[in-house]
Amino acid sequence: MTQTDSIAYDVVVIGAGPVGENVADRTRAAGLTTAIVESELVGGECSYWACMPSKALLRPVIARADARRLPGLSGAVREPLDTAAVLGRRDEFTNHWKDDGQVQWVEGIGADLYRGQGRLAGPRTVEVAAPDGTRRVLAARHAVAVCTGSGAALPNLPGLAEVRPWTSREATAAESAPGRLIVVGGGVVAVEMATAWQALGSRVTLLVRGDDGLLARMEPFAGELVADALTAAGVDIRTGTSVESVTRENGTVVAVTDAGDRVEADEILFATGRVPRTCDIGLETVGLEPGSWLSVDDSLRVEGHDWLYAVGDVNHRALLTHQGKYQARIAGAAIAARASGDPDLESGRWGAHAATADHDAVPQVVFTDPEAASVGLSLAEAERAGHRVRAVDVDLATVAGASLYGDGYRGRARMVVDLEDEIVRGVTFVGPGVGELIHSATVAVAGQVPIGRLWHAVPSYPTISEVWLRLLEAYRDN
Ligand SMILES: Cc1cc2nc3c(=O)[nH]c(=O)nc-3n(C[C@H](O)[C@H](O)[C@H](O)COP(=O)(O)OP(=O)(O)OC[C@H]3O[C@@H](n4cnc5c(N)ncnc54)[C@H](O)[C@@H]3O)c2cc1C
């Protein structure tokens, strides 16, 4: 390695995923000099192996399912999907795994991009090991923001590496549909990828460890409705099933379950959680534990380090792009305010510089058929948090706007109301077309809109949004 002198910036960001990009955008907008370090592709997991390719795979699946429910249109969409065309469109969404467009964007905001592995080398210092072997030292006057994201967690099964299992990366980037696919897991990545690959031509077996069913973090009816639809689509769902061993025999994957069943497939996807990408970023040089999630305060600052921020997946608050970008806007503003000596921040009065929505107003859409969307607390979470709450449910099929979506519309909505404050603590919608509806609930939850005022937010007729009236009526009448 060759050594160059250290280069000083106001801010150094490690990781140019969606979150790192947004931190840099905000610090640059505040006039702070900013370096951003990236070891793979500028744009991160979201652009190349997560949100964008997965949604590009799922959009035709959902559009076809919607069309199949409509008399007059259903006959025109009986044929299987054109898998090659769907994969081709996915490739365009990932820009064929090239990041030139996003590099241009970084240049456009006036940040300096360094390619290579970034590692902390003591307080306010980042070393970058470039692919060509050169090494640079970046000194941060005001802040270092760790935005290194998360990677797929694999279970500790002997010989797993030889099986070459799929993680979310292979599942979103595959060039063809395997004939048979085992998906291990029951969370968002598992159900989305089971939906996509079953429709794209694979025979999917979904192995779910616990007995809580699918999407266990949402209201129970979300997982039930999604499971019914997956089963109807041909997915073999086995709950209460753990994988005890997995081998590859003459090209075939063989998973043996705790019940002793052998399940064979061409590929196996482990959608079994995430780990922080912090093993090799020099945490030990500043007294932190390598491999750990980085715990932060509401201004995204790592406890005990006034110059160190951890933003996005890596802080484990909410592993979602939109929530990470929200944190990035706040962290960027907080860094800039502290750099200019804002007395409010120094005294701990953070106001707009606090990521409070992380605690009780996180929205999420699961892009399955039916879609599942939620914000805030589920009934169980609200009760566990000690709120005195009541849940009201509505069958979405009774809403005129939903019935227009097509024959046999199935869906459900739940509103969790805080009985002390008469505000909405959480909302869940499950049904075709509900993804675009969730922001109305996010405004109600994050804005703590009193139930009495919600009556004056009049939904248009005939849209699915009229579910709000049905929910308010159900709350009033029960
Ligand atoms: C299959 C799948 C689908 C998803 N779908 C959605 C969705 O629809 N909507 C949604 O909101 N969220 C979705 N997510 C979650 C979303 O992808 C993440 O929340 C988001 O990517 C987090 O952004 P980030 O910038 O924190 O991390 P990342 O996107 O992981 O970016 C981190 C960046 O840091 C770089 N890096 C890591 N270590 C170093 C280092 N030492 N030096 C330099 N660079 C480094 C990485 O190469 C990477 O580019 C999905 C996730 C998966 C797995």
Side-chain angles (χ1 to χ4, degrees):
M1 277 194 178
T2 56
Q3 170 98 43
T4 60
D5 293 338
S6 98
I7 309 166
Y9 287 91
D10 291 324
V11 181
V12 178
V13 179
I14 310 179
V19 176
E21 287 180 326
N22 275 271
V23 173
D25 187 40
R26 291 297 154 136
T27 56
R28 280 300 302 135
L32 300 174
T33 59
T34 302
I36 185 162
V37 185
E38 174 54 52
S39 58
E40 293 185 83
L41 293 177
V42 175
E45 211 69 15
C46 178
S47 298
Y48 307 103
W49 300 285
C51 326
M52 291 317 284
S54 64
K55 269 75 247 182
L57 293 176
L58 284 159
R59 183 66 207 131
V61 179
I62 294 171
R64 183 182 66 159
D66 284 342
R68 282 182 167 176
R69 282 185 277 267
L70 282 171
L73 182 56
S74 53
V77 288
R78 281 217 183 91
E79 296 298 312
L81 288 168
D82 179 344
T83 301
V86 175
L87 298 181
R89 183 163 179 272
R90 183 271 321 267
D91 294 352
E92 282 168 24
F93 269 87
T94 59
N95 198 28
H96 300 268
W97 290 273
K98 292 199 187 70
D99 65 1
D100 38 332
Q102 304 217 37
V103 170
Q104 256 178 23
W105 181 87
V106 169
E107 287 166 1
I109 62 167
D112 289 345
L113 173 66
Y114 290 85
R115 297 272 191 190
Q117 178 79 11
R119 286 185 195 86
L120 291 165
R124 298 169 195 270
T125 309
V126 175
E127 273 187 10
V128 185
D132 65 5
T134 55
R135 184 172 145 270
R136 285 179 193 278
V137 179
L138 308 178
R141 270 186 287 268
H142 295 298
V144 173
V146 175
C147 306
T148 50
S150 65
L154 285 170
N156 196 8
L157 292 173
L160 187 60
E162 287 87 77
V163 175
R164 299 180 307 283
W166 278 12
T167 67
S168 48
R169 284 204 168 192
E170 290 75 19
T172 49
E175 289 173 9
S176 61
R180 298 161 301 172
L181 174 66
I182 298 170
V183 178
V184 184
V188 178
V189 174
V191 298
E192 285 189 347
M193 289 299 96
T195 301
W197 288 110
Q198 179 73 26
L200 290 167
S202 302
R203 264 187 294 126
V204 175
T205 306
L206 190 56
L207 303 180
V208 187
R209 188 170 52 182
D211 287 316
D212 296 336
L214 307 182
L215 299 175
R217 293 194 182 156
M218 292 182 124
E219 298 286 7
F221 62 84
E224 287 160 19
L225 286 167
V226 170
D228 287 352
L230 281 172
T231 304
V235 175
D236 176 4
I237 304 177
R238 306 187 194 179
T239 52
T241 303
S242 305
V243 175
E244 297 279 286
S245 72
V246 57
T247 49
R248 200 180 270 275
E249 298 168 11
N250 302 322
T252 298
V253 174
V254 180
V256 178
T257 72
D258 51 349
D261 295 334
R262 274 169 66 95
V263 187
E264 296 191 357
D266 300 291
E267 300 294 349
I268 184 165
L269 161 63
F270 282 92
T272 42
R274 309 289 294 170
V275 288
R277 290 184 65 177
T278 57
C279 287
D280 187 22
I281 61 163
L283 288 183
E284 64 286 356
T285 69
V286 294
L288 294 166
E289 182 68 28
S292 61
W293 299 102
L294 292 174
S295 170
V296 292
D297 63 25
D298 275 352
S299 72
L300 290 315
R301 201 159 58 160
V302 177
E303 282 144 25
H305 298 77
D306 64 0
W307 54 274
L308 184 62
Y309 291 71
V311 196
D313 276 14
V314 77
N315 64 33
H316 208 227
R317 288 184 144 209
L319 280 69
L320 291 161
T321 292
H322 47 268
Q323 213 63 24
K325 284 159 67 172
Y326 159 76
Q327 294 173 6
R329 294 190 287 273
I330 286 169
I335 291 168
R338 287 193 173 109
S340 66
D342 185 321
D344 275 352
L345 269 104
E346 298 311 342
S347 66
R349 286 194 301 274
W350 297 341
H353 302 304
T356 50
D358 283 352
H359 303 296
D360 49 22
V362 176
Q364 173 156 35
V365 177
V366 186
F367 293 82
T368 41
D369 174 46
E371 290 171 347
S374 67
V375 61
L377 305 179
S378 66
L379 175 61
E381 285 172 337
E383 286 175 345
R384 269 202 303 275
H387 299 297
R388 197 164 69 80
V389 287
R390 179 149 65 83
V392 287
D393 287 11
V394 164
D395 178 355
L396 269 175
T398 62
V399 177
S403 63
L404 285 166
Y405 260 66
D407 290 347
Y409 188 101
R410 287 189 75 202
R412 190 161 158 196
R414 170 169 290 178
M415 174 171 76
V416 179
V417 181
D418 187 314
L419 299 172
E420 304 289 339
D421 302 329
E422 287 246 300
I423 55 169
V424 183
R425 288 277 171 207
V427 177
T428 301
F429 301 123
V430 183
V434 300
E436 294 295 339
L437 199 58
I438 198 63
H439 193 61
S440 58
T442 306
V443 172
V445 173
Q448 302 191 340
V449 182
I451 288 283
R453 282 306 302 162
L454 278 179
W455 282 100
H456 300 279
V458 184
S460 296
Y461 180 81
T463 63
I464 308 181
S465 295
E466 280 199 314
V467 67
W468 280 105
L469 291 179
R470 305 289 93 81
L471 287 166
L472 291 169
E473 287 159 3
Y475 177 66
R476 179 196 60 197
D477 298 340
N478 292 302

